[in-house]
Amino acid sequence: MTLNLSVNGYREGAPSALQLDSARSKRYATRVDFENALIAEAMTWVGTPFHKQGNLKGVGVNCGNFIDGVLTTIGVNTNSAPQNWGRADQQDGKLMLQLLEDNDLEFVSIEDRKKGDIIAFCKESLDNPDEPVHIAFVVDITHTTIIVEAGRKGVVRHRLNGLWNARIHSIWRIPDKLWLK
């Protein structure tokens, strides 16, 4: 399958930054409203196939652009993430951490994770804890479920089993100032 992507990763006719300004100004009254909007939008991406550097719902996406696409759609302004996330030939854990920090996300403990948080994962296990290479949304704490772009499976809803738990690098929360009315 060939994707119709322009050089910078966006299809022709995609919304301009000016058109996205109205979406980015959206605010929510409570964290629950924000979490529900985030999870509902993330679920609309389920079934989107993996495509390196892709960012089109239903067509092809990588993990970073999945996160960015969901956040942009629900009105969270991400600082230049569309130009940076998932663009390197190799996964760059230091760049991923820098982007999470540059977007004012707050580091939280694994025990304090909530719906809507972003989990950064290591490649194999915590053998190399400085190098996260994958990210996903937490969608359910009770069953510890995530929505993740999972390679050949594309975007799926997945339980955090032993393998995924062993790979958790860090948890990041989108601060209230980015979405609160």
Side-chain angles (χ1 to χ4, degrees):
M1 173 181 202
T2 303
L3 296 178
N4 184 18
L5 300 177
S6 66
V7 172
N8 66 0
Y10 292 93
R11 68 174 184 213
E12 292 185 29
S16 69
L18 183 61
Q19 292 168 314
L20 290 175
D21 282 348
S22 62
R24 290 181 178 193
S25 66
K26 185 167 184 167
R27 295 290 185 244
Y28 301 88
T30 67
R31 176 158 284 280
V32 171
D33 292 342
F34 170 72
E35 292 167 354
N36 289 339
L38 187 148
I39 302 308
E41 176 58 26
M43 289 299 293
T44 69
W45 288 71
V46 170
T48 298
F50 169 76
H51 189 281
K52 183 178 178 182
Q53 299 183 2
N55 65 352
L56 300 174
K57 179 173 30 173
V59 178
V61 71
N62 66 7
C63 65
N65 288 326
F66 162 62
I67 299 290
D68 181 69
V70 170
L71 294 177
T72 299
T73 300
I74 66 165
V76 175
N77 185 4
T78 56
N79 297 323
S80 301
Q83 291 83 25
N84 294 320
W85 289 21
R87 298 291 184 227
D89 288 336
Q90 297 290 329
Q91 294 166 320
D92 185 341
K94 290 178 182 162
L95 174 61
M96 183 181 294
L97 287 176
Q98 188 64 51
L99 286 167
L100 291 167
E101 291 170 6
D102 287 352
N103 280 284
D104 296 325
L105 274 65
E106 301 166 345
F107 176 82
V108 295
S109 70
I110 292 173
E111 297 79 26
D112 290 334
R113 69 181 177 257
K114 294 182 180 180
K115 283 180 14 178
D117 287 347
I118 297 172
I119 300 181
F121 294 97
C122 298
K123 187 172 187 173
E124 302 281 331
S125 67
L126 286 177
D127 294 339
N128 191 0
D130 294 332
E131 294 292 326
V133 295
H134 199 55
I135 52 180
F137 285 117
V138 176
V139 296
D140 183 326
I141 298 302
T142 306
H143 301 293
T144 318
T145 308
I146 58 173
I147 295 181
V148 61
E149 173 280 305
R152 290 180 288 213
K153 295 179 182 179
V155 177
V156 297
R157 186 172 176 150
H158 194 295
R159 247 190 147 146
L160 276 178
N161 58 23
L163 174 65
W164 283 99
N165 274 320
R167 295 175 56 202
I168 293 175
H169 174 277
S170 53
I171 311 283
W172 299 82
R173 180 155 304 137
I174 299 156
D176 296 353
K177 69 181 180 181
L178 296 180
W179 58 262
L180 188 64
K181 281 187 179 180

